[in-house]
């Protein structure tokens, strides 16, 4: 697949890998000091994982999900971009502050960050850096951070309702690709369930900036 020439893999210890979609992605600052600290404790996150019935098997499934994504990245991105592009009310949030013109640079950088995020949630340890970066992604959809990663003046805020409803298309997009890779229908279901859990967990982190203090 042509797109895979953009992907560089640096193997670290055991399961923990840094898998890159591109060498440089504007606004991608995972693990950097400037990433804000999410207002939740390690125990909060452990309970969040427990609430989606996260298991050792789910942790083991992440690497295989990552392999599936790497092998099919172009098609997966095409499907996600086509989904958003087909919804005028969603494309609206990629327009300039006057909601007149779609900002191409903003769209392109967002797609690159999306691709890296798809890999990160499969390969990055579920640790403080994971929590904080997904919290930052949430901020970047709100009045406090919209467009700042690319220094563009865009529509200021994406409502929380779309942060929730977009869970489904981002989850279901992987279903056929999992089935292509895995012949065992039981394992296919388990991988899909792990992917669904990852979407629920990260969306919960995205929503922290949308809530009033103490209400998350």
């Amino acid at each position: 697949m042509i797109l895979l020439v953009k992907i560089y893999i640096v193997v670290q210890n055991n399961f923990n890998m840094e898998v890159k979609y591109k060498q440089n992605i504007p606004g991608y600052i995972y693990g950097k000091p400037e990433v804000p600290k999410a207002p939740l404790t390690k125990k909060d996150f452990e309970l969040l994982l427990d609430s989606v019935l996260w298991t050792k098997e789910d942790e083991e499934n992440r690497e295989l999900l990552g392999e599936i994504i790497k092998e099919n990245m172009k098609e997966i991105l095409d499907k996600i971009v086509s989904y958003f592009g087909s919804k005028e009310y969603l494309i609206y949030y990629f327009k300039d502050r006057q909601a007149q013109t779609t900002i191409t640079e903003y769209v392109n950088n967002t797609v690159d960050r999306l691709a890296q995020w798809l890999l990160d949630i499969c390969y990055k340890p579920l640790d403080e850096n994971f929590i904080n970066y997904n919290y930052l992604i949430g901020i970047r959809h709100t009045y406090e951070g919209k467009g700042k990663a690319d220094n563009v003046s865009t529509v200021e805020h994406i409502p929380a309702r779309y942060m929730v409803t977009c869970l489904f298309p981002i989850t279901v997009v992987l279903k056929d690709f999992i089935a292509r890779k895995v012949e065992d229908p039981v394992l296919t279901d388990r991988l899909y369930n792990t992917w669904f859990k990852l979407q629920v967990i990260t969306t919960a982190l995205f929503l922290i900036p949308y809530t009033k203090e103490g209400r998350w």
Side-chain angles (χ1 to χ4, degrees), residues 88-141:
E88 184 59 35
Y89 59 89
L90 295 179
I91 283 293
Y92 167 81
Y93 297 104
F94 291 93
K95 294 182 182 293
D96 59 29
R97 187 64 57 87
Q98 293 71 41
Q100 296 298 312
T101 305
T102 301
I103 307 173
T104 303
E105 176 190 8
Y106 181 43
V107 172
N108 292 340
N109 291 345
T110 298
V111 171
D112 284 351
R113 287 192 292 268
L114 168 64
Q116 185 60 54
W117 175 79
L118 292 172
L119 296 171
D120 285 347
I121 64 175
C122 294
Y123 289 105
K124 294 289 191 183
L126 301 182
D127 59 9
E128 187 175 13
N129 286 330
F130 181 93
I131 295 166
N132 292 342
Y133 194 71
N134 282 280
Y135 169 61
L136 173 61
I137 290 173
I139 292 173
R140 287 176 171 177
H141 288 74

Side-chain angles (χ1 to χ4, degrees), residues 44-94:
D44 289 332
F45 188 61
E46 289 173 353
L47 293 175
L48 186 64
L49 291 173
D50 186 67
S51 71
V52 295
L53 307 179
W54 188 259
T55 65
K56 181 181 178 181
E57 182 183 63
D58 289 314
E59 183 63 30
E60 293 169 350
N61 286 343
R62 290 204 296 145
E63 188 172 2
L64 180 51
L65 286 167
E67 292 301 311
I68 292 169
I69 290 169
K70 284 190 297 177
E71 291 171 6
N72 300 280
M73 182 66 87
K74 184 179 186 304
E75 285 185 79
I76 292 168
L77 290 178
D78 285 348
K79 286 181 178 295
I80 294 173
V81 171
S82 293
Y83 164 74
F84 283 97
S86 69
K87 311 293 183 184
E88 184 59 35
Y89 59 89
L90 295 179
I91 283 293
Y92 167 81
Y93 297 104
F94 291 93

